[in-house]
Amino acid sequence: LLLLIFMLIPLQTGFCAVSDVDADSQNAVINAVKTAGPAVVNIDTISKADALVLSPFDFLFGNIEQPVQGQGSGFIIDGKNGYIVTNEHVVHNASQIAVTLTNKKTYEGKLIASDRQTDIALVKIDATNLPAAKLAPPGEPTIGAWAIAIGNPLGFRNTVTVGVISAT
Protein backbone atom coordinates (compact mmCIF):
# COMPACT_ATOMS: atom_id res chain seq x y z
CA LEU A 1 0.00 0.00 0.00
CA LEU A 2 2.82 2.39 0.87
CA LEU A 3 4.47 1.73 -2.49
CA LEU A 4 1.18 2.44 -4.27
CA ILE A 5 0.87 5.76 -2.43
CA PHE A 6 4.39 6.81 -3.47
CA MET A 7 3.59 5.83 -7.04
CA LEU A 8 0.40 7.90 -7.07
CA ILE A 9 1.79 11.06 -5.45
CA PRO A 10 4.07 12.04 -8.36
CA LEU A 11 1.31 11.41 -10.89
CA GLN A 12 -1.21 13.54 -8.99
CA THR A 13 1.18 16.41 -8.26
CA GLY A 14 2.87 16.36 -11.67
CA PHE A 15 6.41 15.79 -10.39
CA CYS A 16 7.45 13.25 -12.98
CA ALA A 17 4.59 12.07 -15.14
CA VAL A 18 5.95 10.83 -18.46
CA SER A 19 3.48 12.94 -20.40
CA ASP A 20 5.14 16.05 -18.88
CA VAL A 21 8.39 15.37 -20.75
CA ASP A 22 8.29 17.46 -23.89
CA ALA A 23 9.12 16.05 -27.32
CA ASP A 24 12.29 18.16 -27.63
CA SER A 25 13.75 16.56 -24.49
CA GLN A 26 12.89 13.08 -25.72
CA ASN A 27 14.35 13.85 -29.15
CA ALA A 28 17.61 15.08 -27.60
CA VAL A 29 18.11 11.72 -25.87
CA ILE A 30 17.11 9.75 -28.97
CA ASN A 31 19.47 11.83 -31.15
CA ALA A 32 22.32 11.39 -28.65
CA VAL A 33 21.91 7.61 -28.77
CA LYS A 34 21.78 7.62 -32.58
CA THR A 35 24.85 9.86 -32.80
CA ALA A 36 27.12 8.52 -30.05
CA GLY A 37 25.71 5.02 -29.55
CA PRO A 38 27.66 3.32 -32.36
CA ALA A 39 30.94 4.44 -30.74
CA VAL A 40 30.11 2.81 -27.39
CA VAL A 41 31.84 -0.53 -26.84
CA ASN A 42 31.79 -3.40 -24.36
CA ILE A 43 35.07 -4.36 -22.72
CA ASP A 44 35.66 -7.82 -21.23
CA THR A 45 38.83 -8.48 -19.26
CA ILE A 46 40.68 -11.29 -17.59
CA SER A 47 42.95 -10.27 -14.72
CA LYS A 48 45.02 -11.89 -12.04
CA ALA A 49 43.30 -12.11 -8.67
CA ASP A 50 44.24 -9.49 -6.12
CA ALA A 51 46.94 -10.92 -3.86
CA LEU A 52 45.05 -9.70 -0.79
CA VAL A 53 42.09 -11.96 -1.53
CA LEU A 54 42.71 -15.36 0.04
CA SER A 55 40.53 -18.42 -0.16
CA PRO A 56 40.08 -20.95 2.66
CA PHE A 57 42.09 -23.44 0.59
CA ASP A 58 45.19 -21.23 0.51
CA PHE A 59 46.20 -22.63 3.90
CA LEU A 60 46.19 -26.19 2.52
CA PHE A 61 47.36 -25.73 -1.06
CA GLY A 62 49.12 -22.39 -1.11
CA ASN A 63 47.87 -19.25 -2.80
CA ILE A 64 46.62 -20.39 -6.22
CA GLU A 65 45.91 -17.40 -8.41
CA GLN A 66 42.56 -17.65 -10.13
CA PRO A 67 41.76 -15.44 -13.11
CA VAL A 68 39.13 -12.79 -12.50
CA GLN A 69 36.74 -11.75 -15.25
CA GLY A 70 35.61 -8.15 -15.55
CA GLN A 71 33.38 -6.06 -17.77
CA GLY A 72 32.84 -2.43 -18.55
CA SER A 73 32.08 0.13 -21.19
CA GLY A 74 34.19 2.43 -23.28
CA PHE A 75 33.90 4.64 -26.32
CA ILE A 76 35.89 5.03 -29.50
CA ILE A 77 37.65 8.39 -29.73
CA ASP A 78 39.74 7.72 -32.86
CA GLY A 79 37.98 5.55 -35.44
CA LYS A 80 40.87 5.72 -37.91
CA ASN A 81 43.38 4.20 -35.51
CA GLY A 82 41.17 2.19 -33.12
CA TYR A 83 41.66 4.15 -29.88
CA ILE A 84 39.14 3.68 -27.08
CA VAL A 85 38.70 5.46 -23.74
CA THR A 86 37.50 3.48 -20.74
CA ASN A 87 37.86 3.52 -16.97
CA GLU A 88 41.17 2.45 -15.50
CA HIS A 89 39.42 0.17 -13.00
CA VAL A 90 37.92 -1.78 -15.93
CA VAL A 91 41.35 -2.72 -17.34
CA HIS A 92 43.41 -2.62 -14.12
CA ASN A 93 45.89 -5.54 -14.09
CA ALA A 94 44.17 -7.09 -17.12
CA SER A 95 46.12 -9.81 -18.87
CA GLN A 96 43.52 -9.97 -21.65
CA ILE A 97 41.24 -7.25 -23.02
CA ALA A 98 38.45 -8.01 -25.51
CA VAL A 99 36.55 -5.12 -27.11
CA THR A 100 33.15 -5.81 -28.67
CA LEU A 101 31.62 -3.23 -30.99
CA THR A 102 27.89 -2.62 -31.46
CA ASN A 103 28.04 -4.74 -34.64
CA LYS A 104 29.11 -7.69 -32.40
CA LYS A 105 32.66 -7.85 -33.82
CA THR A 106 35.24 -8.54 -31.11
CA TYR A 107 38.86 -7.39 -31.15
CA GLU A 108 41.83 -7.96 -28.87
CA GLY A 109 42.62 -4.76 -27.03
CA LYS A 110 46.00 -3.46 -25.93
CA LEU A 111 46.36 -1.11 -22.96
CA ILE A 112 48.24 1.99 -24.15
CA ALA A 113 48.06 4.21 -21.06
CA SER A 114 46.18 4.47 -17.79
CA ASP A 115 45.88 6.69 -14.74
CA ARG A 116 44.46 5.30 -11.50
CA GLN A 117 43.99 8.73 -9.92
CA THR A 118 41.63 9.97 -12.65
CA ASP A 119 40.32 6.44 -13.44
CA ILE A 120 41.01 6.85 -17.16
CA ALA A 121 42.59 4.40 -19.59
CA LEU A 122 43.36 4.28 -23.31
CA VAL A 123 42.98 0.98 -25.18
CA LYS A 124 43.85 0.28 -28.82
CA ILE A 125 42.37 -2.29 -31.18
CA ASP A 126 43.60 -3.18 -34.66
CA ALA A 127 40.65 -1.85 -36.63
CA THR A 128 39.95 1.13 -38.87
CA ASN A 129 36.92 3.04 -40.15
CA LEU A 130 35.18 2.81 -36.79
CA PRO A 131 32.46 5.17 -35.56
CA ALA A 132 33.98 7.67 -33.14
CA ALA A 133 32.35 9.77 -30.45
CA LYS A 134 32.65 13.51 -30.91
CA LEU A 135 34.04 15.01 -27.72
CA ALA A 136 32.78 18.29 -26.27
CA PRO A 137 34.97 21.38 -26.56
CA PRO A 138 37.35 22.08 -23.66
CA GLY A 139 35.96 23.77 -20.58
CA GLU A 140 33.91 22.90 -17.58
CA PRO A 141 30.35 21.76 -18.15
CA THR A 142 27.64 24.03 -16.80
CA ILE A 143 26.13 22.94 -13.49
CA GLY A 144 22.50 22.07 -14.15
CA ALA A 145 23.10 21.13 -17.80
CA TRP A 146 21.59 17.87 -19.02
CA ALA A 147 23.89 14.85 -19.12
CA ILE A 148 23.14 11.72 -21.16
CA ALA A 149 25.13 8.59 -20.31
CA ILE A 150 25.30 5.75 -22.84
CA GLY A 151 26.95 2.53 -21.74
CA ASN A 152 27.31 -1.11 -22.59
CA PRO A 153 27.28 -2.91 -19.23
CA LEU A 154 27.19 -6.69 -19.26
CA GLY A 155 27.00 -6.65 -23.05
CA PHE A 156 23.65 -4.85 -23.19
CA ARG A 157 23.85 -2.55 -26.18
CA ASN A 158 23.38 1.14 -25.53
CA THR A 159 21.82 1.40 -22.12
CA VAL A 160 20.89 5.02 -21.52
CA THR A 161 20.30 7.19 -18.50
CA VAL A 162 19.73 10.92 -18.16
CA GLY A 163 20.69 13.30 -15.39
CA VAL A 164 22.18 16.70 -14.78
CA ILE A 165 25.68 17.99 -14.08
CA SER A 166 25.55 18.45 -10.31
CA ALA A 167 29.14 19.56 -9.63
CA THR A 168 32.44 20.15 -11.38
Side-chain angles (χ1 to χ4, degrees):
L1 180 63
L2 189 58
L3 180 61
L4 181 60
I5 291 171
F6 282 119
M7 289 173 56
L8 291 177
I9 289 173
L11 295 175
Q12 291 175 348
T13 58
F15 286 125
C16 65
V18 174
S19 61
D20 289 346
V21 177
D22 65 3
D24 289 337
S25 295
Q26 289 181 17
N27 288 336
V29 175
I30 292 167
N31 289 336
V33 173
K34 286 180 182 178
T35 303
V40 177
V41 300
N42 177 258
I43 298 177
D44 292 297
T45 61
I46 296 179
S47 306
K48 293 180 181 177
D50 191 343
L52 298 176
V53 178
L54 301 175
S55 79
F57 298 106
D58 289 341
F59 177 75
L60 297 172
F61 303 110
N63 188 359
I64 302 169
E65 289 188 10
Q66 295 291 321
V68 176
Q69 294 181 337
Q71 284 190 320
S73 297
F75 60 93
I76 302 165
I77 59 165
D78 180 348
K80 292 179 183 176
N81 297 301
Y83 286 104
I84 297 162
V85 170
T86 188
N87 295 104
E88 192 279 337
H89 72 264
V90 170
V91 295
H92 184 75
N93 288 336
S95 57
Q96 294 178 3
I97 301 170
V99 177
T100 304
L101 308 180
T102 55
N103 65 8
K104 304 292 184 195
K105 288 186 179 178
T106 300
Y107 297 88
E108 181 180 344
K110 178 182 177 186
L111 181 62
I112 301 300
S114 65
D115 180 40
R116 286 189 83 177
Q117 187 172 359
T118 57
D119 196 23
I120 279 270
L122 184 67
V123 173
K124 183 175 183 348
I125 60 174
D126 289 328
T128 57
N129 298 319
L130 302 172
K134 182 180 176 185
L135 300 179
E140 287 191 15
T142 304
I143 294 174
W146 284 101
I148 302 168
I150 305 170
N152 200 334
L154 307 174
F156 296 117
R157 182 174 171 226
N158 287 344
T159 60
V160 180
T161 189
V162 178
V164 296
I165 304 297
S166 59
T168 58

